Amino acid sequence: MNNNSRERYFELSLLFLILILGYALILQALPFINGILGAITLYVLLRRPNFYLINRYGKRKAPWIITLSITVFILIPLSLLAWYAIELVQNFDLDPKIAIEKITSIVKKIEGATGFDLITDKSLSFITAQLSNIFNMLMSGINNFTVNLFTAILLLFFLLSGGMKMELYIARLLPFSDENKHAVIKKLHLIVRSNAIGIPLLAVIQGLVATIGYMLCGVNNALLFGILTGFASIIPIVGTMIVWIPLVIGQYFDGSLLSTLGLALYGIVIISQCDNVIRLILQKRMANTHPLITIFGVIAGLPIFGFMGVIFGPLIVSMFLLFVDMFAKQYILGEVYSPIPPAQLPEIKNNSDKKN
């Protein structure tokens, strides 16, 4: 075996070991994926304040200051809000007999008019099984939330401690030119920051708007359903409708026709349109992202990443389109891909030379 063949053998063997060990580590990290992605999101949002605090207080104090501040002022209040919502759900007063009687009467009227059997033994067993699965998922989600929260805080501290070294190392590994590396990193930061800020902001606004309408229409536990509406705004396409439409049906079951009509009009005119308008404004202002990228990104990201798919799903779609554009212009059309205006390239190059 000559030297070239031996070197090639060592290279392929090392690559094989990296892939096998990496696959094993990814499998073990899947239960903590939301915590890992949450830490990365927080790091992208806090990297500039971290650099500022490092220059002012030093490398050792800056990560502690940011981590403790995030824990005390953001994560603990969010955790208390989540536990409050869970307690409200557990104490939610609902008489199942009245609901079943009214649902049955409506179904019988529809069956008499259409001649179709809407409720069968199979459908009832299916609905019961699905409700049981939803409850189990909720309980497991609460436990995963606590574990991933601790993971996010722990990982965030180490990311803040060695953030610059990590960024430089990743930039060296990217198989692109310096200009393309700049475009990839800039796009990554832009999408993560815009979604991490825009999506919670949209949820808060939607929750406030919905809570006001629910109170005006006399909905019981208006605050609880307002919080649920805010969370539902994250879901693409259906969004807030999965909360206010069942509420309209519930108001009808309570026998208040006026409040039912008022809630239905408020949901259609105010809540739904507010969701669409605010979402478009935030996407346009913060990242100039097409709405379809966000919709398909969330649809693809939720099954892969869970809750953090609302941030990293659109990121995957945006990066895919960016890589396709790079490949097409550089290797198919024969153009020199330049995501940065040509006039700025010498300046960036000179600045990097000065730093070196």
Side-chain angles (χ1 to χ4, degrees):
M1 181 181 293
N2 55 34
N3 291 334
N4 291 334
S5 300
R6 187 176 183 181
E7 188 67 24
R8 184 65 175 173
Y9 168 76
F10 289 156
E11 179 183 357
L12 294 176
S13 300
L14 181 59
L15 180 60
F16 176 76
L17 291 174
I18 291 173
L19 293 176
I20 291 296
L21 294 177
Y23 179 73
L25 290 174
I26 290 174
L27 288 180
Q28 296 301 317
L30 284 179
F32 311 100
I33 188 66
N34 281 321
I36 296 171
L37 297 178
I40 294 173
T41 302
L42 289 173
Y43 172 76
V44 172
L45 295 175
L46 298 170
R47 58 188 300 274
R48 290 183 179 178
N50 183 51
F51 295 151
Y52 170 78
L53 292 176
I54 286 175
N55 293 330
R56 186 161 185 176
Y57 299 105
K59 293 183 179 180
R60 293 185 177 181
K61 294 182 180 180
W64 283 104
I65 294 174
I66 293 179
T67 304
L68 292 176
S69 300
I70 290 295
T71 303
V72 173
F73 296 107
I74 296 180
L75 296 182
I76 290 179
L78 285 178
S79 301
L80 294 176
L81 180 63
W83 283 111
Y84 173 70
I86 293 169
E87 185 177 355
L88 287 178
V89 171
Q90 292 176 344
N91 297 330
F92 183 64
D93 186 15
L94 178 65
D95 191 348
K97 293 183 179 179
I98 296 177
I100 291 173
E101 289 176 359
K102 293 186 176 182
I103 292 173
T104 304
S105 64
I106 294 174
V107 170
K108 287 182 178 179
K109 290 180 181 179
I110 297 174
E111 289 178 347
T114 60
F116 292 103
D117 293 333
L118 299 180
I119 295 182
T120 61
D121 294 337
K122 291 183 178 180
S123 62
L124 287 176
S125 61
F126 175 77
I127 293 173
T128 304
Q130 292 301 316
L131 291 176
S132 177
N133 291 334
I134 292 173
F135 179 78
N136 293 331
M137 289 175 60
L138 180 62
M139 291 291 89
S140 62
I142 295 172
N143 296 328
N144 291 334
F145 174 78
T146 304
V147 174
N148 282 289
L149 188 64
F150 177 78
T151 303
I153 291 296
L154 182 64
L155 185 58
L156 175 64
F157 175 80
F158 289 104
L159 289 176
L160 294 172
S161 300
M164 182 56 70
K165 293 181 179 179
M166 176 191 66
E167 290 186 26
L168 293 175
Y169 182 75
I170 294 176
R172 289 174 57 191
L173 295 179
L174 291 177
F176 309 121
S177 63
D178 291 339
E179 292 79 14
N180 288 350
K181 288 180 181 181
H182 180 88
V184 171
I185 295 174
K186 183 178 179 181
K187 192 75 172 180
L188 188 149
H189 285 178
L190 182 63
I191 297 297
V192 172
R193 289 177 61 187
S194 62
N195 287 334
I197 297 174
I199 291 175
L201 181 60
L202 174 64
V204 170
I205 295 174
Q206 281 291 83
L208 292 175
V209 171
T211 301
I212 294 173
Y214 297 157
M215 289 180 177
L216 293 176
C217 295
V219 175
N220 295 327
N221 298 303
L223 179 60
L224 168 63
F225 288 112
I227 294 173
L228 294 177
T229 304
F231 282 111
S233 65
I234 298 173
I235 304 173
I237 302 176
V238 292
T240 56
M241 291 189 294
I242 64 176
V243 177
W244 65 262
I245 287 180
L247 282 180
V248 171
I249 299 174
Q251 287 293 94
Y252 174 76
F253 287 160
D254 289 338
S256 178
L257 182 60
L258 182 61
S259 63
T260 301
L261 294 176
L263 182 59
L265 289 175
Y266 191 87
I268 296 171
V269 177
I270 305 297
I271 298 178
S272 295
Q273 299 307 316
C274 178
D275 181 40
N276 296 329
V277 172
I278 296 175
R279 191 184 298 273
L280 290 175
I281 292 175
L282 290 176
Q283 290 172 348
K284 195 70 177 177
R285 291 288 181 89
M286 302 188 72
N288 196 22
T289 305
H290 196 280
L292 288 178
I293 293 178
T294 303
I295 292 173
F296 287 117
V298 173
I299 292 174
L302 287 176
I304 300 174
F305 303 113
F307 176 76
M308 294 304 297
V310 300
I311 295 176
F312 288 88
L315 175 63
I316 290 177
V317 176
S318 299
M319 299 305 293
F320 171 77
L321 296 176
L322 178 63
F323 293 154
V324 170
D325 190 35
M326 287 181 181
F327 184 85
K329 289 185 176 180
Q330 189 163 350
Y331 298 105
I332 297 178
L333 301 177
E335 301 176 4
V336 177
Y337 183 79
S338 179
I340 310 171
Q344 298 180 13
L345 292 178
E347 181 181 352
I348 295 175
K349 186 176 180 181
N350 291 334
N351 288 338
S352 62
D353 293 339
K354 290 179 181 179
K355 291 180 181 179
N356 294 332

